[in-house]
C-alpha cells in the first residue's frame, strides 16, 4: 500500500470515527446496546410511525439479518451509513478482515478498518461476522512470493498460518459471533481445492485452522463457507462428509455457511432447504452468508420479479431451518456491488438500487419476515 493511499484511508477512517458519534445516538434509542426488537418508538400526533425495517422484523423472528460492509463507503457516504445502521442487526467486513489487509507485512498488523467496523457495530447494537481467516485469495504478496521462491517452506508456512489465525481471532475475541474459518476449500467436483495450503500442508490444515481459532476464542462459532453449495451436490456433500468426519474427531467445526451468490439466468436451488436441514441434523449451525442475485443489465420488471422471488426463497429456506440463525446479503445497494466488476454485463444484484430506493427484492424480504412472524 503506497503512502498516498494510506493517507486517504486514514482520512476515511477519521471521517467514520466522527460519523459514529453523530449517528449512534438516534440508532441507540431504537436498538439499545444489543440485538433485539426495536419496540417503543414514540411519534407525535400527525407523524405516522415509519414502516418497520428489515432489522425490526428479523429481530421479532429471532434471526440476525446482516450485510457485508464496504468500509470506505461506510466512512464517506452518509446514506450508506444510515441504511447500514437502520436495516441490519449483523455486519460482515467485505474486505477489512482479509489477510492481505490485516497483515500486509509479516508480523505487522493493521486492524484499523476492521476496528472501525466493530466500533460502528457496537455503537448501533449490531453483531459482527468475521470473514475470513483462511482463503486461497487475497493473500499478502510476502506470503505467496515466499512460498513460490522457496524461502517459506511447509514447516514455516504452518507456523505462519497458526500465528495469523491466533493473532486475528485473539484481537477480536468476544466481538465476533461467527467466524468463516475456512473459505472455498473444495472444487465443484467435491475434491479439495489445489491451493497453496493443500500443496504445502496437506488436508490436515483444515482441522488445524479450526483448532487454532477455537483455542483463541472459544466463544465464537466456527464456520466453513463456500459458493455453489446451495443445493445437494458434489461440493456441498463434500462439506457434509468433511464436517461429519472432523466432528467425530473432536474438531470444533460448528457451522456451514452458504454464500448464495445467485444469477437469475439459472434455476433457483429448490433443494436448498433440504440441504440446510441435513447440516442441521448433523448438529451444525447454518447461515446464508453472502446473498445476492445478479442479472444481465438493464433490469426490467420481469427480471426484478425473478430476483425478488430468489431472495424470498433464500430467506424462506433459512427461516425453515432451526439452526439457521443469520441471513446476510453481500452488500445491500447496487451503488457499491462487486458484481459488475466481476461478471461482464451483469449487475443490479442487491436489494436497494444505486439511489438507495427499495427494490422488489427488499419488499420480498420484508413480506417473508412479516408472513412468518
Amino acid at each position: 500500500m503506497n503512502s498516498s493511499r494510506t493517507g486517504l484511508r486514514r482520512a476515511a477512517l477519521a471521517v467514520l470515527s466522527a460519523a459514529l458519534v453523530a449517528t449512534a445516538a438516534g440508532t441507540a434509542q431504537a436498538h439499545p446496546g444489543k440485538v433485539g426488537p426495536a419496540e417503543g418508538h414514540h411519534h407525535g400526533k400527525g407523524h405516522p410511525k415509519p414502516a418497520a425495517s428489515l432489522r425490526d422484523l428479523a429481530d421479532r423472528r429471532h434471526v440476525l439479518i446482516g450485510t457485508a460492509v464496504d468500509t470506505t463507503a461506510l466512512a464517506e457516504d452518509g446514506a450508506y451509513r444510515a441504511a447500514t445502521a437502520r436495516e441490519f442487526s449483523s455486519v460482515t467486513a467485505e474486505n477489512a478482515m482479509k489477510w492481505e489487509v490485516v497483515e500486509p507485512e509479516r508480523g505487522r498488523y493493521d486492524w484499523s478498518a476492521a476496528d472501525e467496523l466493530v466500533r460502528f457495530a457496537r455503537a448501533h447494537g449490531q453483531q459482527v461476522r468475521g470473514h475470513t481467516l483462511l482463503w486461497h485469495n487475497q493473500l499478502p504478496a510476502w506470503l505467496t512470493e515466499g512460498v513460490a521462491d522457496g524461502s517459506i517452506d511447509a514447516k514455516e508456512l504452518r507456523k505462519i498460518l497458526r500465528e495469523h489465525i491466533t493473532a486475528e481471532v485473539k484481537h477480536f475475541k468476544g466481538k465476533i459471533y461467527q467466524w468463516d474459518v475456512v473459505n472455498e476449500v473444495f472444487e465443484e467436483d467435491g475434491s479439495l481445492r489445489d491451493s497453496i495450503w493443500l500443496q504445502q500442508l496437506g488436508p490436515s490444515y483444515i482441522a488445524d485452522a479450526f483448532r487454532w481459532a477455537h483455542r483463541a476464542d472459544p466463544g465464537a462459532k466456527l464456520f466453513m463457507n463456500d459458493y455453489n453449495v446451495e443445493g445437494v451436490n458434489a461440493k456441498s456433500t463434500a462439506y457434509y462428509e468433511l464436517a461429519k468426519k472432523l466432528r467425530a474427531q473432536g474438531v470444533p467445526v460448528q457451522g456451514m455457511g452458504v454464500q448464495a451468490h445467485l444469477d437469475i439466468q439459472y434455476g433457483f436451488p429448490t433443494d436448498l432447504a433440504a440441504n440446510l436441514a441435513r447440516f442441521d441434523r448433523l448438529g451444525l449451525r447454518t447461515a446464508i452468508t453472502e446473498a445476492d442475485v445478479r442479472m444481465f443489465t438493464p433490469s426490467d420488471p420481469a427480471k426484478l420479479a425473478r430476483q425478488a422471488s430468489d431472495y424470498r426463497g433464500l430467506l424462506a429456506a433459512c427461516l425453515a431451518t432451526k439452526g439457521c440463525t443469520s441471513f446476510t446479503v453481500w452488500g445491500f445497494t447496487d451503488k457499491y456491488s462487486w458484481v459488475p466488476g466481476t461478471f461482464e454485463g451483469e449487475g443490479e444484484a442487491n436489494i436497494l438500487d444505486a439511489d438507495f430506493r427499495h427494490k422488489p427484492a427488499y419488499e420480498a424480504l420484508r413480506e417473508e419476515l412479516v408472513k412468518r412472524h
Side-chain angles (χ1 to χ4, degrees):
M1 185 177 291
N2 61 41
S3 58
S4 61
R5 183 177 296 178
T6 301
L8 289 172
R9 182 178 176 187
R10 286 174 178 165
L13 291 174
V15 171
L16 178 54
S17 293
L20 287 176
V21 176
T23 63
T27 306
Q29 289 179 351
H31 304 280
K34 63 183 180 69
V35 175
E39 310 279 7
H41 295 274
H42 298 283
H43 302 276
K45 188 174 182 180
H47 295 278
K49 183 176 180 178
S53 66
L54 294 177
R55 173 181 185 158
D56 293 331
L57 296 172
D59 284 349
R60 298 170 194 170
R61 289 288 296 134
H62 306 292
V63 64
L64 292 165
I65 188 149
T67 183
V69 174
D70 179 324
T71 52
T72 301
L74 193 70
E76 299 175 353
D77 188 329
Y80 181 93
R81 192 162 53 247
T84 302
R86 180 181 65 251
E87 298 290 345
F88 303 102
S89 51
S90 170
V91 292
T92 302
E94 188 170 14
N95 290 298
M97 292 186 182
K98 292 175 181 173
W99 200 330
E100 70 174 359
V101 175
V102 300
E103 195 180 2
E105 298 174 16
R106 184 174 181 181
R108 183 179 72 79
Y109 294 97
D110 181 0
W111 310 111
S112 55
D115 283 345
E116 287 296 342
L117 179 60
V118 170
R119 278 193 283 272
F120 180 91
R122 287 199 158 189
H124 296 90
Q126 297 165 314
Q127 303 274 16
V128 183
R129 286 196 88 250
H131 179 78
T132 174
L133 296 174
L134 190 153
W135 193 24
H136 62 279
N137 279 332
Q138 291 184 249
L139 295 170
W142 63 264
L143 189 153
T144 55
E145 291 171 2
V147 172
D149 66 21
S151 60
I152 296 176
D153 62 15
K155 182 179 179 181
E156 187 68 10
L157 183 63
R158 187 174 186 274
K159 177 184 176 185
I160 288 169
L161 180 59
R162 182 181 71 249
E163 289 173 346
H164 169 77
I165 290 174
T166 301
E168 181 151 20
V169 177
K170 279 189 173 181
H171 180 81
F172 295 107
K173 184 177 181 180
K175 301 175 183 178
I176 303 289
Y177 75 99
Q178 294 175 355
W179 268 112
D180 289 331
V181 177
V182 297
N183 193 50
E184 301 174 6
V185 297
F186 281 105
E187 302 284 3
E188 299 304 305
D189 64 0
S191 61
L192 284 169
R193 183 181 292 277
D194 189 26
S195 65
I196 65 168
W197 308 114
L198 184 64
Q199 293 168 8
Q200 299 294 317
L201 305 180
S204 64
Y205 78 88
I206 296 174
D208 287 338
F210 278 96
R211 290 188 178 107
W212 295 330
H214 183 67
R215 195 174 302 147
D217 185 358
K221 299 301 180 184
L222 307 181
F223 275 62
M224 307 179 293
N225 189 56
D226 214 325
Y227 62 92
N228 289 352
V229 293
E230 293 75 30
V232 178
N233 55 35
K235 195 175 190 180
S236 63
T237 298
Y239 277 104
Y240 177 82
E241 296 298 336
L242 176 63
K244 188 162 57 173
K245 175 184 174 183
L246 292 180
R247 285 170 66 82
Q249 297 171 354
V251 178
V253 178
Q254 297 157 332
M256 180 65 205
V258 174
Q259 291 183 12
H261 294 293
L262 303 187
D263 188 323
I264 66 168
Q265 67 178 305
Y266 306 117
F268 182 81
T270 55
D271 55 352
L272 171 60
N275 189 36
L276 294 177
R278 65 174 175 163
F279 285 99
D280 199 66
R281 289 191 298 270
L282 199 59
L284 269 69
R285 296 192 179 197
T286 53
I288 304 297
T289 58
E290 304 183 19
D292 53 25
V293 183
R294 63 188 183 272
M295 63 185 71
F296 282 99
T297 55
S299 63
D300 60 37
K303 291 178 182 178
L304 291 173
R306 167 59 194 277
Q307 180 185 61
S309 176
D310 282 6
Y311 269 106
R312 184 193 299 273
L314 290 171
L315 179 57
C318 178
L319 293 175
T321 307
K322 183 179 180 181
C324 187
T325 56
S326 68
F327 179 94
T328 297
V329 294
W330 201 248
F332 60 89
T333 169
D334 294 336
K335 184 175 182 179
Y336 298 108
S337 173
W338 70 292
V339 171
T342 306
F343 298 93
E344 186 176 357
E346 295 192 78
E348 300 189 41
N350 300 116
I351 59 176
L352 303 186
D353 69 15
D355 294 316
F356 298 93
R357 292 187 295 252
H358 296 176
K359 294 164 65 175
Y362 175 93
E363 299 302 335
L365 294 181
R366 288 192 82 256
E367 291 166 6
E368 191 64 24
L369 289 166
V370 168
K371 182 177 75 175
R372 293 179 175 272
H373 176 53

